Amino acid sequence: MNAMRRFLLYGQSQRLYSRGFSAASWDPLHVCVVGSGPAGFYTAEKMLKAHEGAEVDIIDRLPTPFGLVRSGVAPDHPETKIVVNQFSRVASHDRCSFFGNVSLGSSVSLSELRQAYDVVVLAYGSESDRSLGIPGEDLKGVYSARELVWWYNGHPDYRDMAPELCNSDTAVVLGQGNVALDIARILLRPISELETTDIADHALDSLRKSTIRNVYLVGRRGPVQAACTAKELREILGMKNLNVHINEADLATSPLDEEEMKNNRIRKRVYELLTKAAKSPLGDNSTGMRNLHFVFFRKPIKFISEDNSTVGSVHLEKTVLKEIGSSGKQVAVGTGEIEDIKCGLVLKSIGYKSLPIDGLPFDNDRGVVPNVKGRVLTSADQMDTKTEQGLYVVGWLKRGPTGIVGTNLYCAEETVASILEDVKNGKLIPASKPGRKGLQQILEEKGVKFVPFSGWERIDLKEKMAGQLKNKPREKITNWNDLLQVAIG
Amino acid sequence: MFSRISRLGCRILNETRVAQNSVTKRSISRSSDQNRFLNPMTRFFFSTDTNTSDKAQSDGNQSNETISVTFVDKDGEEKHIKVPIGMSMLEAAHENDIELEGACEGSLACSTCHVIVMDVDHYNKLGDPTDEENDMLDLAFGLTETSRLGCQVIAKPELDGLRLALPAATRNFAVDGFVPKPH
């Protein structure tokens, strides 16, 4: 009977579940993954595959799953979102359940989760930002990249952001990573090209009225250190009706730069692309022509406002590169020479940051939960090696906010390996906790209306159908109440 | 001389015929460049020696339809499979339950189907990677001199006996060469 059932389940679930590891135990293991982005889903997938008794519940504070795949990947990058097909198969697995609209902290506390589950894996990423800590950061028109990205991707927390797109023709983006390029692209793309993407409606409306025609991408260091990667750079350099301005003088390299490129294929190819772009002739400034400027060796020191309310320009200090000891790594050092860029919009794209929560040790410097191979340490004190039983971390919360979707594959592998090792060594006692039933009880007692995966499927269907009417892959629902109404009505 | 040409011609005809059949059930992982390349060939070739061509044809249908490919996982375990001409290695892996990730399902938007070609001769028989593939290979973990994306390696007769290694996960997760401060 057991063999027959397994055979039928094999047919149902996708191919990747056909093999179990010989060391797997059949005792149920109750696992809760907090966060349903790539880190959470890859962890759930590997857990389910490696341990045939594992029951995995994935919780997310949003009614919609998939984390930054839905709210971070740019609307004009639909191929990067294809991975949700794989994640959907995981969520539909027999031993997996999704609980949307369940927030760690308000719907359920960390200690409640640890009492209900044998294993709790925190995968809630980085929902805050690094700050510059310079004057004027609070002015209107100065936002973090994360906020603008959430806004144009229809995140329900930011639908009413109303960024200043109409008070000047220039935006300054601080940072030259892929997120900075995403923002520049969305601000500079012809509207017709955005109209057929899954960009949020309110963003499309604002961008239609936007007066932004020039974007400056400002980096503290040089082209060799620019954090973007070749695909994204190639894409933006190839945009029609876009003049790309790069100062050839900025392309001069030092021996340390050459060494950096020799050891790093990504840096080398990015540098080559920038060099090629710098040498290309510019088109005339006819109507419809937009401008992208790569500005190197400048760090922001102040935001200036004419009216004491909205930003009017950025004060930048010229920098030079200096080596740290003999590490080969170079940092930007100010020279005292100041420059101004007039602008009405500033986007800080200098890095995300994780949020600490009550009862969780946190490394404020690095903005991560202190851990060893995904096992959460009891304290951030480097001398203390004691770990928290049954508590693990994966993704940006573990490594810091770097990498791509696929980076989480290996990260999840490491964390799951730690969990399995702990199970094998008796550090966790499986089936001693109520698991899913425990969570459902807590949610019922608190009156939390969670969204099951089928609820997301209803949202998904409605968005796709609404999108069809407008020649978009989907028309995102961006209002909290509407999302819940459609999901669990 | 003529018979050699006609045998070659028949082999190409067979490949295009088989490939065209496989094309209809192909998924997005199939490179569209291949389609454009294969179709014109059928108009150009004809055989003059019918005896040899018939024999070549019947032989061709059996031996040229699939190639042997071996996948070696990170623990050294080998799996031998047969891959129809025209199918990508990613698709072949999935059809044979080999654990090759394919997050973007063959759209050149990720590097999760990264494979290492174990024989340099076979690697050299592959066409050069496009800029788009190189952009994705930049981000692959455990990149080697003979690394390729599995969704871009398409089975053809010269690759018979192909051995592909699945890369071991590395501890260095950084995309941009950033070395994390020791903690």
Side-chain angles (χ1 to χ4, degrees):
Chain A
M1 185 53 213
N2 221 10
M4 184 57 153
R5 191 163 156 269
R6 276 171 68 180
F7 180 74
L8 290 171
L9 283 176
Y10 170 93
Q12 264 180 47
S13 57
Q14 80 284 18
R15 304 165 267 227
L16 290 175
Y17 293 108
S18 60
R19 281 190 274 135
F21 288 9
S22 52
S25 155
W26 276 98
D27 288 338
L29 182 71
H30 303 288
V31 181
C32 182
V33 176
V34 179
S36 65
F41 265 106
Y42 277 132
T43 299
E45 185 177 49
K46 288 174 190 300
M47 201 66 235
L48 288 165
K49 196 152 67 121
H51 191 296
E52 295 185 46
E55 252 194 20
V56 182
D57 292 343
I58 307 175
I59 71 172
D60 198 293
R61 75 174 179 89
L62 290 183
T64 57
F66 311 134
L68 285 174
V69 180
R70 174 174 165 96
S71 67
V73 175
D76 54 355
H77 286 170
E79 328 77 27
T80 310
K81 304 189 198 202
I82 291 176
V83 72
V84 304
N85 295 343
Q86 182 178 348
F87 295 160
S88 298
R89 289 194 291 272
V90 176
S92 309
H93 190 283
D94 257 26
R95 291 183 276 122
C96 186
S97 280
F98 174 71
F99 289 82
N101 196 33
V102 174
S103 169
L104 178 62
S106 48
S107 316
V108 61
S109 72
L110 181 58
S111 58
E112 282 172 324
L113 281 181
R114 292 179 75 185
Q115 279 164 35
Y117 290 90
D118 301 310
V119 173
V120 174
V121 187
L122 300 172
Y124 66 72
S126 313
E127 292 200 316
S128 181
D129 319 291
R130 289 178 67 195
S131 81
L132 287 165
I134 62 177
E137 219 167 336
D138 295 330
L139 286 169
K140 243 168 66 179
V142 178
Y143 311 103
S144 75
R146 172 189 59 90
E147 295 174 306
L148 197 78
V149 168
W150 271 3
W151 169 74
Y152 64 60
N153 276 331
H155 193 293
D157 287 350
Y158 278 79
R159 82 189 295 263
D160 297 325
M161 180 187 172
E164 301 280 353
L165 301 183
C166 296
N167 63 359
S168 98
D169 65 0
T170 300
V172 167
V173 180
L174 300 166
Q176 296 171 329
N178 287 339
V179 180
L181 259 53
D182 278 352
I183 286 178
R185 238 178 30 248
I186 298 298
L187 290 174
L188 294 172
R189 265 208 196 281
I191 270 291
S192 56
E193 289 177 18
L194 295 174
E195 273 166 352
T196 51
T197 67
D198 64 2
I199 193 170
D201 214 23
H202 53 252
L204 202 52
D205 266 347
S206 298
L207 287 164
R208 243 184 227 114
K209 304 184 197 121
S210 162
T211 52
I212 306 284
R213 296 290 176 270
N214 310 297
V215 173
Y216 287 79
L217 287 169
V218 179
R220 283 179 303 183
R221 300 186 292 169
V224 174
Q225 291 80 30
C228 56
T229 53
K231 172 180 184 250
E232 286 73 15
L233 190 53
R234 201 188 297 280
E235 180 184 14
I236 206 168
L237 296 175
M239 270 173 67
K240 303 188 302 244
N241 300 341
L242 188 66
N243 273 332
V244 180
H245 305 256
I246 300 177
N247 192 343
E248 277 203 62
D250 286 339
L251 292 166
T253 53
S254 67
L256 271 176
D257 287 334
E258 292 296 323
E259 194 61 34
E260 237 181 286
M261 287 196 284
K262 218 172 76 181
N263 300 330
N264 193 319
R265 181 183 140 132
I266 299 175
R267 296 290 112 243
K268 181 157 162 280
R269 296 178 77 235
V270 163
Y271 177 77
E272 283 168 1
L273 282 167
L274 288 169
T275 303
K276 204 164 123 198
K279 296 187 167 34
S280 305
L282 294 173
D284 58 49
N285 241 328
S286 53
T287 41
M289 219 44 194
R290 298 185 178 189
N291 297 286
L292 178 69
H293 301 255
F294 279 88
V295 175
F296 298 105
F297 305 108
R298 300 287 185 276
K299 73 176 199 194
I301 52 173
K302 211 175 356 176
F303 299 110
I304 308 285
S305 167
E306 302 294 299
D307 60 3
N308 260 332
S309 128
T310 310
V311 69
S313 65
V314 188
H315 261 12
L316 299 168
E317 184 183 10
K318 288 192 187 174
T319 66
V320 289
L321 294 184
K322 229 188 169 111
E323 189 184 2
I324 308 178
S326 43
S327 65
K329 193 165 192 289
Q330 303 178 83
V331 287
V333 169
T335 59
E337 248 186 276
I338 308 290
E339 237 177 50
D340 250 17
I341 302 184
K342 279 191 158 45
C343 58
L345 177 67
V346 175
L347 283 323
K348 298 176 287 173
S349 188
I350 59 175
Y352 287 67
K353 200 162 175 195
S354 291
L355 290 168
I357 53 169
D358 276 343
L360 189 64
F362 198 75
D363 178 339
N364 278 302
D365 277 339
R366 293 181 55 216
V368 297
V369 170
N371 70 91
V372 173
K373 293 191 187 179
R375 293 183 179 93
V376 174
L377 292 166
T378 302
S379 97
D381 177 1
Q382 289 194 21
M383 303 303 288
D384 197 337
T385 54
K386 187 161 174 287
T387 56
E388 291 284 312
Q389 191 194 41
L391 189 60
Y392 303 84
V393 74
V394 70
W396 280 8
L397 191 58
K398 170 184 170 194
R399 298 179 283 109
T402 59
I404 52 175
V405 171
T407 315
N408 295 290
L409 203 55
Y410 303 96
C411 188
E413 237 170 62
E414 186 185 65
T415 296
V416 170
S418 295
I419 296 172
L420 294 173
E421 208 180 289
D422 290 350
V423 169
K424 201 169 112 197
N425 295 338
K427 294 222 179 86
L428 303 167
I429 305 150
S432 61
K433 308 270 173 70
R436 193 169 297 163
K437 287 199 187 70
L439 177 64
Q440 282 163 335
Q441 195 172 354
I442 295 169
L443 297 178
E444 210 182 293
E445 281 166 14
K446 294 193 181 171
V448 174
K449 294 208 150 45
F450 71 86
V451 174
F453 200 68
S454 57
W456 151 249
E457 286 171 328
R458 283 158 70 159
I459 296 173
D460 190 28
L461 186 62
K462 190 131 201 249
E463 290 185 343
K464 283 179 172 152
M465 280 170 49
Q468 264 185 8
L469 302 171
K470 298 179 170 184
N471 202 18
K472 297 170 82 168
R474 67 174 67 241
E475 183 56 73
K476 285 185 180 168
I477 301 174
T478 59
N479 176 294
W480 268 100
N481 289 333
D482 291 343
L483 283 165
L484 292 172
Q485 176 66 28
V486 170
I488 48 186
Chain B
M1 176 62 179
F2 263 146
S3 63
R4 231 201 267 160
I5 289 174
S6 62
R7 254 182 276 139
L8 173 63
C10 288
R11 232 186 74 170
I12 292 173
L13 264 174
N14 284 335
E15 280 174 46
T16 57
R17 200 176 308 131
V18 170
Q20 277 173 335
N21 284 340
S22 350
V23 162
T24 50
K25 39 185 166 95
R26 214 44 356 100
S27 63
I28 35 179
S29 57
R30 186 64 198 277
S31 156
S32 59
D33 280 343
Q34 283 242 286
N35 291 346
R36 275 185 268 127
F37 176 69
L38 290 167
N39 286 334
M41 297 300 264
T42 54
R43 291 182 236 129
F44 285 101
F45 271 91
F46 55 91
S47 60
T48 51
D49 182 343
T50 47
N51 282 342
T52 330
S53 62
D54 281 344
K55 187 172 183 298
Q57 249 180 43
S58 51
D59 279 348
N61 275 334
Q62 266 122 34
S63 58
N64 288 350
E65 219 172 79
T66 67
I67 59 166
S68 296
V69 176
T70 303
F71 278 89
V72 183
D73 76 15
K74 58 184 189 246
D75 300 315
E77 247 187 73
E78 297 195 1
K79 189 151 186 185
H80 307 284
I81 62 171
K82 288 265 180 241
V83 183
I85 305 288
M87 184 181 274
S88 80
M89 294 302 130
L90 176 62
E91 214 180 314
H94 285 181
E95 297 216 338
N96 289 274
D97 290 329
I98 290 164
E99 283 181 40
L100 187 60
E101 292 276 341
C104 76
E105 295 176 6
S107 348
L108 278 179
C110 76
S111 57
T112 59
C113 68
H114 168 215
V115 289
I116 300 165
V117 182
M118 294 171 79
D119 302 302
V120 171
D121 290 335
H122 281 140
Y123 178 77
N124 290 331
K125 293 202 172 111
L126 300 171
D128 280 339
T130 57
D131 279 339
E132 288 70 28
E133 185 181 346
N134 269 325
D135 286 348
M136 291 301 108
L137 280 170
D138 278 353
L139 310 174
F141 299 103
L143 190 69
T144 68
E145 294 287 321
T146 57
S147 283
R148 292 297 297 265
L149 295 184
C151 64
Q152 301 303 300
V153 177
I154 310 295
K156 54 184 183 182
E158 303 93 294
L159 298 177
D160 194 26
L162 185 64
R163 289 169 62 78
L164 299 172
L166 302 183
T170 60
R171 296 278 220 88
N172 177 10
F173 304 134
V175 163
D176 56 1
F178 167 69
V179 178
K181 285 189 274 230
H183 56 269

